[in-house]
Amino acid sequence: ALGPAGFYFEKYISKIHESLDYKTLINLTFEGKCVSHEVDVLLLKGDVVTMIECKFHSGIEAKTDVKVPMYILSRFNDLKERKYKIFGQLRLINSCLIVTNNKFTEDALTFAKCSGLKMLSWDYPPQNGLREIIDRLKIYPITCLTRLTLNEKEQLLVGNIITIKDLLAEKNWLETLQLSKTRINRVLTEANQL
């Protein structure tokens, strides 16, 4: 439910990495050696800058195939030799991570390993995939709440309330949805249980 355009998924991936002590930037455009590129998320930890390309699939059966890491590698190669004014100073983009809410094909994983791309999906890497990271950090998207309608969730997402933690920190957003006090209490109970 963080799609279909994927922009909310990018924000969610940024929030997850902020919880892992990264500094993050989202939706940037950089002039590469050959052409300009949109970058979904940039991470900074220490002196390492990582670009993230997010691949959101709304269908549960969809898989990210080998064409994606091939394409992303060419974009990374076009960007990595130039310095950009990011995170307060001129920096190189040092590494690349591809994130999907579903799974990668075996060919995609094989190509990524061979070419040095990092990959993160629902079940990859084993024991440290997206599912495990979300559960470990307890950083669930607001879209998993059952006490809100799709329209109410969309209004929260538009207001940059992406995670349950965001909602608990900004409870007043529930009032802007014109929910009854009883519904607000039910939503907050569910959010606190998560």
Side-chain angles (χ1 to χ4, degrees):
L2 288 171
F7 182 63
Y8 297 128
F9 181 63
E10 295 163 12
K11 286 185 170 187
Y12 181 55
I13 295 303
S14 176
K15 295 272 187 179
I16 288 172
H17 283 87
E18 286 172 7
S19 294
L20 293 167
D21 297 323
Y22 287 90
K23 290 182 181 178
T24 68
L25 297 170
I26 59 171
N27 299 314
L28 304 162
T29 301
F30 297 108
E31 192 60 41
K33 180 179 177 185
C34 301
V35 296
S36 63
H37 302 274
E38 290 182 16
V39 174
D40 295 335
V41 182
L42 270 186
L43 306 177
L44 174 66
K45 190 179 258 189
D47 288 328
V48 177
V49 175
T50 301
M51 66 178 267
I52 296 181
E53 178 69 19
C54 295
K55 290 296 168 195
F56 179 84
H57 300 286
S58 47
I60 196 165
E61 298 301 320
K63 288 189 174 186
T64 300
D65 67 18
V66 70
K67 291 185 294 291
V68 172
M70 287 178 166
Y71 169 64
I72 302 307
L73 179 62
S74 67
R75 293 179 61 217
F76 172 60
N77 285 338
D78 194 39
L79 291 168
K80 71 179 183 180
E81 293 178 20
R82 290 188 162 193
K83 288 190 175 185
Y84 303 96
K85 179 81 171 176
I86 44 179
F87 300 106
Q89 67 185 65
L90 285 174
R91 299 175 188 271
L92 291 171
I93 298 173
N94 311 104
S95 68
C96 184
L97 171 64
I98 303 171
V99 180
T100 184
N101 61 317
N102 280 11
K103 298 179 179 184
F104 294 108
T105 64
E106 286 302 317
D107 280 351
L109 291 171
T110 300
F111 180 83
K113 287 176 194 171
C114 178
S115 60
L117 291 173
K118 299 174 190 167
M119 307 280 266
L120 177 63
S121 71
W122 191 246
D123 64 348
Y124 185 86
Q127 285 79 51
N128 200 31
L130 205 47
R131 179 183 55 217
E132 289 86 8
I133 292 169
I134 291 167
D135 284 341
R136 186 173 65 244
L137 297 174
K138 295 182 181 9
I139 187 159
Y140 303 103
I142 59 149
T143 53
C144 70
L145 290 172
T146 62
R147 302 279 183 183
L148 293 172
T149 66
L150 289 175
N151 184 48
E152 291 163 345
K153 292 173 190 178
E154 179 68 24
Q155 288 179 59
L156 290 171
L157 290 168
V158 168
N160 209 34
I161 305 298
I162 307 298
T163 69
I164 300 296
K165 290 179 180 186
D166 294 335
L167 180 62
L168 291 173
E170 302 280 341
K171 295 174 189 165
N172 59 326
W173 268 94
L174 292 174
E175 293 172 14
T176 67
L177 298 177
Q178 300 178 347
L179 304 181
S180 68
K181 288 199 183 287
T182 302
R183 279 198 66 214
I184 288 173
N185 287 336
R186 288 180 180 155
V187 170
L188 291 175
T189 297
E190 182 183 18
N192 279 308
Q193 287 172 342
L194 282 169

